[in-house]
Amino acid sequence: MVVFHFSYDLEMFGHLPPGTVVSGGFRVLSVTVAAAFLALAGVSLQLAHGAHVRPRAVLRRLLRIAAAAGAVSLGTWAVFPAAFVYFGILHAIAAASLLGLLLLRLPPFVPALLALAVLLAPRPAPIPDLGWLDWTGLTATPRPSVDFEPLFPWAAAFLAGMALGGLGRRHGLWDRLSGSPGRLTRWLAWPGRNSLAIYLIHQPLLIALVWGLTRIGLS
């Protein structure tokens, strides 16, 4: 994620050729990172609640993600008003989490089958371009955005993560991995425990870094 965004910033400031980060290996990297984020969010939902939903924890988590998504929308609207993030990765995680709550008590094969359906089922005729339905991924020509992960097809990654999380819970994998962590394990776990803060902070810092290097003559 950090590597991709740093490359994006280098392109934005003219240090990489236009189109670099939307083609070739960078495109593969961006899709892989986004899919991993959503899949891990699906696993996290299973780990946090299992078959028993805790309403307060759910509400707290959703509000935190929604607030962060709103901050991203406002921040990108200020910088890229014609292509601001109206349904990016955080918006997708929040929406998919609401869907996931309906599936927590179901066996893992259900979200797995739904993930396959989202990926492989024939698409219906595109919805007329109403604007407010762009987040579904089913409109003919969605509005431009610097980060766009609509529910179709990106919900598939979240559902796949839920299936993996459910399988791990059913077979006791998470219990076996939940022993007393050592110092190295705690250190490695820190980014995962603070992923939302890292996601929100790293890009402004990278932009400031590239801007500063540009000002002093980076070529």
Side-chain angles (χ1 to χ4, degrees):
M1 175 183 67
V2 175
V3 171
F4 175 79
H5 283 153
F6 183 60
S7 303
Y8 182 94
D9 298 337
L10 288 174
E11 180 181 323
M12 182 171 63
F13 281 92
H15 303 298
L16 290 176
T20 296
V21 298
V22 294
S23 60
F26 280 107
R27 177 58 181 166
V28 173
L29 177 63
S30 68
V31 170
T32 302
V33 169
F37 256 73
L38 283 157
L40 289 172
V43 172
S44 175
L45 187 66
Q46 287 279 15
L47 289 176
H49 302 285
H52 306 286
V53 177
R54 294 177 293 142
R56 288 187 179 180
V58 167
L59 181 60
R60 187 165 57 247
R61 178 179 183 270
L62 285 175
L63 287 176
R64 186 166 63 246
I65 296 173
V72 170
S73 292
L74 287 174
T76 54
W77 178 77
V79 180
F80 309 107
F84 75 100
V85 178
Y86 58 88
F87 204 83
I89 191 72
L90 294 180
H91 305 72
I93 289 174
S97 295
L98 289 174
L99 172 63
L101 290 174
L102 303 176
L103 306 174
L104 276 176
R105 296 186 179 182
L106 300 178
F109 76 84
V110 175
L113 289 177
L114 287 174
L116 288 174
V118 170
L119 281 178
L120 303 178
R123 291 288 184 268
I127 298 172
D129 292 323
L130 301 176
W132 60 275
L133 287 176
D134 286 348
W135 61 273
T136 64
L138 299 176
T139 54
T141 52
R143 291 166 292 168
S145 175
V146 294
D147 181 31
F148 184 48
E149 277 84 25
L151 278 187
F152 289 89
W154 289 99
F158 185 93
L159 293 167
M162 282 197 68
L164 290 173
L167 283 172
R169 177 167 51 83
R170 176 165 292 193
H171 294 286
L173 175 62
W174 311 128
D175 291 333
R176 292 196 296 272
L177 294 176
S178 62
S180 299
R183 179 178 298 180
L184 177 60
T185 303
R186 288 194 297 269
W187 184 80
L188 292 173
W190 186 88
R193 294 180 182 276
N194 298 276
S195 57
L196 183 58
I198 293 171
Y199 181 86
L200 292 174
I201 293 171
H202 83 280
Q203 181 65 320
L205 292 178
L206 289 175
I207 290 175
L209 173 63
V210 176
W211 177 83
L213 292 173
T214 302
R215 294 284 292 178
I216 63 176
L218 175 67
S219 60

